[in-house]
Amino acid sequence: MGWIGEQVDSIKSIQFRQLLTQAITLGMIVTSALIIWKGLMCVTGSESPVVVVLSGSMEPGFKRGDILFLHMSKDPIRTGEIVVFNIDGREIPIVHRVIKVHERPDTGEVDILTKGDNNPGDDRLLYARGQQWLQRQHIMGRAVGFLPYVGWVTIIMTEKPIVKYILIGALGLLVITSKE
Amino acid sequence: MHSFGYRANALLTFAVTILALICAIASFSDTLSTPTPTSNVQVLNINRFQKKPDGDDEVSLTFNISANLQSLFTWNTKQVFVFLAAEYETPKNSLNQVSLWDGIIPSKEHADFWIHTTNKYRFIDQGSNLRGRNFNLTLHWHVMPKTGKMFADKIVMTGYRLPQAYR
């Protein structure tokens, strides 16, 4: 009786330890991803340091599925820069090039007009009704770096959620069942 | 320990690391070249110069651009986006930049070009400040790499002036 009890206890303790280790491993993965993301936010000063190009409006420069690295600095915005902006009432930010800038002398306020390289006309049609110019507060950052194709992972995952669930499930299973 | 899963994982990690490293090196190699582009712009004619009904000045120009941007191309260059902007100062705005023309140069062979054109985008001021205004024409370029850091620069050409009267 005493022997069996001992065995049961030892098994229980092993499982508990193993479970704890796995929980910690999983926690480490999640938190390190979070740390990298938040760290990038601090370094770049942009609330979303990496964006995926979703449309072909900047082809052939940026294609769908390319990744852009954003940077938000105090430097004034000038023509030719590729900025990411948010329009009131639109959920998805847009990546386009600045073609016109008008800057006030005293306040430094700017009026900005953008256009996609591959679009025939400027972006006034995309702006909110009656909006002629973008202001500083619409700008989320400017694109400084570029990495091709990597964004397809997220495009596929958002458009086919089943892939995401399978991937998350498989990874979770791998973490739980793996023994070092 | 040496299961299929572990080996596949190790191989994938290694491949991605090497790929990232190669991308970083390719991007870094761009900084080693020192481009020496040249450009010249002639304003040939003021086609139209008037005040729009809403009170803003609008100009239509015809101009020539000749430029040689071949030295901007390296092995990591996907394309060069080039544009000509009018830049001027008014009492209302300390800086006005208005893009007049732009183009995409896909390869080095096309980077030595000459073009005769009118302004592709409307040259409109915020207000009525363009009569007799001095302005610069600036040729900007934006180099888009195959991967890595984008960079941009410009050539400023000074000494252009709009006429004193509408026409």
Side-chain angles (χ1 to χ4, degrees), chain A residues 1-52:
Chain A
M1 200 59 194
W3 182 80
I4 293 171
E6 239 170 59
Q7 288 298 311
V8 168
D9 281 349
S10 84
I11 287 168
K12 266 187 184 162
S13 80
I14 286 168
Q15 278 178 340
F16 177 68
R17 283 189 176 190
Q18 212 181 322
L19 214 67
L20 205 67
T21 321
Q22 275 157 4
I24 288 172
T25 314
L26 201 65
M28 288 292 272
I29 293 169
V30 173
T31 42
S32 54
L34 202 69
I35 287 169
I36 292 171
W37 182 252
K38 292 282 173 189
L40 270 178
M41 268 171 86
C42 286
V43 171
T44 62
S46 172
E47 53 186 302
S48 61
V50 176
V51 293
V52 176

Side-chain angles (χ1 to χ4, degrees), chain B residues 131-161:
Chain B
R131 275 168 298 172
R133 180 70 51 197
N134 291 317
F135 64 103
N136 294 340
L137 284 174
T138 308
L139 192 81
H140 295 258
W141 56 88
H142 195 114
V143 181
M144 288 182 169
K146 291 206 169 76
T147 179
K149 194 179 182 316
M150 299 183 273
F151 50 96
D153 208 348
K154 62 187 175 183
I155 296 178
V156 182
M157 290 156 280
T158 55
Y160 300 91
R161 189 179 170 89

Side-chain angles (χ1 to χ4, degrees), chain A residues 61 100-104 146, chain B residues 78 93-94 96-97 122 148:
Chain A
K100 288 183 187 181
V101 171
H102 297 282
E103 191 173 75
R104 309 281 173 282
F146 169 80
Chain B
K78 181 174 11 178
N93 294 321
S94 59
N96 299 276
Q97 288 184 305
R122 297 175 77 180

Side-chain angles (χ1 to χ4, degrees), chain A residues 117-174:
Chain A
D117 288 356
N118 199 26
N119 292 352
D122 62 42
D123 284 348
R124 290 216 167 106
L125 288 172
L126 297 175
Y127 296 168
R129 188 178 289 269
Q131 184 178 2
Q132 292 288 308
W133 304 96
L134 293 177
Q135 269 82 39
R136 187 82 202 199
Q137 75 264 17
H138 297 114
I139 307 290
M140 291 168 64
R142 71 191 90 195
V144 291
F146 169 80
L147 204 60
Y149 307 122
V150 185
W152 274 111
V153 182
T154 59
I155 291 184
I156 289 168
M157 280 207 251
T158 34
E159 287 183 356
K160 299 218 185 332
I162 185 84
V163 176
K164 178 166 63 180
Y165 298 135
I166 290 172
L167 211 67
I168 291 174
L171 280 179
L173 216 65
L174 214 69

